[in-house]
Amino acid sequence: MTDWIALMEDHWAWLVFAALLGIGEVLIPGVFLIWIAIAAAITGLAALALPIGLPLQLLLFAALSIAAVYAGRRWYVDHPVASTDPLLNDRAARLIGETVSVVEPISGGEGRVRVGDSVWTARGPDTPAGARVRIIRAEGATLWVEGAE
């Protein structure tokens, strides 16, 4: 059996690789493979237009991949994708404004509050156990609270 990849011209191999990466981006969205696919496509077009050997093609692909990922990353920093739920992956920030109960008195500025079925460290004014407080800020796993009245 002949090795069909060995028979394929370099530029076609790069273009097929670019197409496979593009398909991978569609199937597993993450906005990363597309930039590598662009680098592979440009490498394939360069291999078609210029008489360059495989080592230079690989070097070109590596440089283009780095440049494409950097350019894509910069573009997304400058043009963030709007989200209907920007706090989706920030559970603590989603709690801001919620009213919770103190389970361990807040004394000396620190205590514990019950949020749903879990207990979180809380910072705020001295408050007895059982009192209701409102979450005003979140830093890591610590919630800042104030009286709920």
Side-chain angles (χ1 to χ4, degrees):
M1 179 176 200
T2 60
D3 189 5
W4 64 273
I5 293 177
L7 298 175
M8 187 182 299
E9 294 181 42
D10 289 347
H11 63 275
W12 284 116
W14 285 111
L15 295 173
V16 167
F17 183 51
L20 291 174
L21 287 169
I23 291 168
E25 178 67 32
V26 170
L27 295 177
I28 310 167
V31 191
F32 180 78
L33 291 178
I34 193 68
W35 306 111
I36 306 298
I38 290 168
I42 293 171
T43 303
L45 294 174
L48 176 65
L50 304 169
I52 55 176
L54 185 59
L56 188 55
Q57 291 174 25
L58 292 172
L59 185 63
L60 178 63
F61 173 68
L64 288 172
S65 294
I66 291 169
V69 169
Y70 177 76
R73 192 163 156 71
R74 292 278 309 166
W75 190 84
Y76 277 108
V77 166
D78 294 341
H79 304 90
V81 177
S83 172
T84 58
D85 191 359
L87 300 177
L88 178 65
N89 293 319
D90 191 352
R91 181 172 181 221
R94 292 177 74 114
L95 297 174
I96 295 172
E98 295 287 323
T99 301
V100 296
S101 61
V102 177
V103 292
E104 289 180 21
I106 300 174
S107 175
E110 186 170 323
R112 311 263 298 159
V113 295
R114 178 165 303 284
V115 178
D117 61 352
S118 61
V119 177
W120 291 59
T121 300
R123 294 189 180 272
D126 289 353
T127 309
R132 303 287 288 170
V133 292
R134 188 167 27 98
I135 300 168
I136 58 171
R137 188 168 90 215
E139 291 179 6
T142 302
L143 302 174
W144 292 79
V145 298
E146 66 181 9
E149 293 83 37

